[in-house]
Amino acid sequence: MPVRGVSAAALRDNWGEARAGGAREHHAIDIMASTGTPVLATAPGTIEKLFDSHDGGHTIYQRSADGGTVYYYAHLAGYRAGLHEGQRLRGGEGIGFVGATGNADAGAPHLHFEVKRMAPGERWWQGTNVNPYPLLAEPDANR
């Protein structure tokens, strides 16, 4: 679970919901939590990109240890002190804090969490989005 203290039962599958007045679909899930709640690396891997964007605010792109998956964490209040690109992570290690940066509603802090399956040679912004809800909420999901 990428947000400390959040249970699988608290998750809501909002994959595919309309965003930007119907201009795009939500290819992630939003995990609601108080501002400042620790965000954790979902799996072992490497920080591929720390990025500030208009929509995502403070974001982290983490590639899995096998290179086949990128985890995207957005709307962060901030990064853990000393976090840097190229840094190796253990699963469960703190990487940042829940917030409402970018286009997030300031009254509804959350972690926007995406999972992308990566083909060989694809960069951090590429890949094929998959619904993270079954991976987090269903313990026996095919990973």
Side-chain angles (χ1 to χ4, degrees), residues 11-19 25-32 110-113 131-133:
L11 298 178
R12 187 174 78 78
D13 187 358
N14 55 6
W15 170 270
E17 288 182 352
R19 293 291 194 267
E25 287 187 353
H26 191 237
H27 290 152
I29 63 169
D30 291 333
I31 303 172
M32 308 309 288
H110 65 279
L111 173 68
H112 170 100
F113 181 68
N131 186 349
Y133 179 81

Side-chain angles (χ1 to χ4, degrees), residues 12-67:
R12 187 174 78 78
D13 187 358
N14 55 6
W15 170 270
E17 288 182 352
R19 293 291 194 267
R24 61 183 168 81
E25 287 187 353
H26 191 237
H27 290 152
I29 63 169
D30 291 333
I31 303 172
M32 308 309 288
S34 299
T35 298
T37 302
V39 172
L40 312 174
T42 304
T46 302
I47 297 294
E48 191 145 323
K49 185 74 174 170
L50 300 177
F51 187 70
D52 287 325
S53 74
H54 178 266
D55 290 342
H58 303 308
T59 67
I60 297 172
Y61 291 82
Q62 176 202 350
R63 191 174 292 257
S64 63
D66 68 5

Side-chain angles (χ1 to χ4, degrees), residues 77-91:
Y79 307 122
R80 181 192 83 199
L83 194 72
H84 61 276
E85 292 177 9
Q87 183 173 352
R88 291 184 180 239
L89 302 170
R90 297 178 315 278

